[in-house]
Amino acid sequence: MKLLIIEDDVPFATTLSRRMSKLDFDCLCVHDELNIGPQCQAFLPDYVLLDMKLTASSGLQHIALIRQIVPDSKIVLLTGFASIATAVEAIKLGADEYLTKPADTQLIAKTLLGTNTPLDIADDNTMSPERLEWEHIQQTLKSNAGNISETARQLNMHRRTLQRKLQKRPVLK
C-alpha cells in the first residue's frame, strides 16, 4: 500500500507518515510542488494525500497531473480551509475524497481504505490542550458549515478572536 503524502508543512507530513507507516503504508512525502510529478511517476502510489494549500499553489491544480500518472490511485484532498465550493471542485477535478484538517489518523486511514471498520491504532501521544482546542474549533466550524459568526457564538468567543485562532497553523500534538 503505497501512500504519497503531498504536504508543505514538513512536521505535519513527518508525523502523518510515521503514523500511517504503523498501519503498513509505504509512505513517501513530497514537500515541494515542483517534485509532485516526478515523485508520483517514480513511486506510483496506490493512495495520495494532497494538501490543498501548498506553498506556491493550490493542491487542486495538481489533481489532474496525479490522475494522469496514476489513474487508479485514490486521491484524498486534505485542507485546513474547508468550504463546500472547494469540496465540489476537488471532486469534479478527480479527487475521491475531501477531508478537513485536523483529521486524525483513524479517519484518514478509514478514508483511504474505504472502510468503516475500527482500526487498531495506538496513539503514541496524548493531545495537548492547544491541539484539543484546535480540534474542537474545527469540528464546531464544520458543523456550522464554515459560518464563523455562528461558530464564535457557539464557542462563546468573539468573532475576531476566532478568526485569529483560525489563521494560526494547527498544533501537531
Side-chain angles (χ1 to χ4, degrees):
M1 296 189 307
K2 291 182 174 182
L3 172 62
L4 182 65
I5 301 171
I6 302 168
E7 171 66 63
D8 59 344
D9 184 351
V10 177
F12 177 73
T14 304
T15 301
L16 187 57
S17 175
R18 188 185 66 218
R19 290 184 177 181
M20 298 307 286
S21 293
K22 289 180 182 178
L23 295 173
D24 296 326
F25 282 95
D26 179 15
C27 299
L28 174 68
C29 294
V30 175
H31 307 295
D32 183 5
E33 293 103 299
L34 298 175
N35 292 330
I36 292 173
Q39 291 290 353
C40 193
Q41 184 72 46
F43 191 59
L44 297 175
D46 303 307
Y47 305 95
V48 178
L49 281 175
L50 174 62
D51 186 25
M52 190 171 99
K53 189 173 194 272
L54 299 168
T55 305
S57 65
S58 168
L60 295 171
Q61 297 171 335
H62 303 284
I63 293 173
L65 173 65
I66 296 166
R67 201 42 89 204
Q68 180 182 0
I69 296 170
V70 281
D72 296 329
S73 67
K74 184 162 188 176
I75 300 173
V76 176
L77 191 75
L78 282 170
T79 182
F81 305 94
S83 75
I84 294 171
T86 55
V88 169
E89 185 177 357
I91 301 303
K92 282 182 179 178
L93 290 170
D96 296 296
E97 297 284 344
Y98 181 91
L99 290 175
T100 57
K101 288 181 183 176
D104 65 8
T105 309
Q106 182 93 238
L107 178 61
I108 293 171
K110 284 181 178 181
T111 303
L112 288 171
L113 298 172
T115 181
N116 287 328
T117 308
L119 301 168
D120 186 25
I121 300 173
D123 210 0
D124 51 358
N125 293 316
T126 56
M127 263 192 252
S128 69
E130 293 83 13
R131 178 63 183 200
L132 191 59
E133 177 189 40
W134 176 262
E135 297 264 351
H136 181 65
I137 288 171
Q138 291 299 315
Q139 289 295 343
T140 307
L141 186 63
K142 184 177 179 182
S143 71
N144 287 309
N147 185 324
I148 291 177
S149 296
E150 184 59 31
T151 301
R153 275 192 287 279
Q154 283 184 2
L155 294 172
N156 197 23
M157 182 184 297
H158 193 275
R159 184 180 52 81
R160 290 191 187 270
T161 301
L162 176 60
Q163 287 174 320
R164 279 193 298 275
K165 287 181 181 282
L166 290 171
Q167 288 176 346
K168 293 181 182 177
R169 286 204 178 266
V171 180
L172 291 177
K173 296 180 186 175

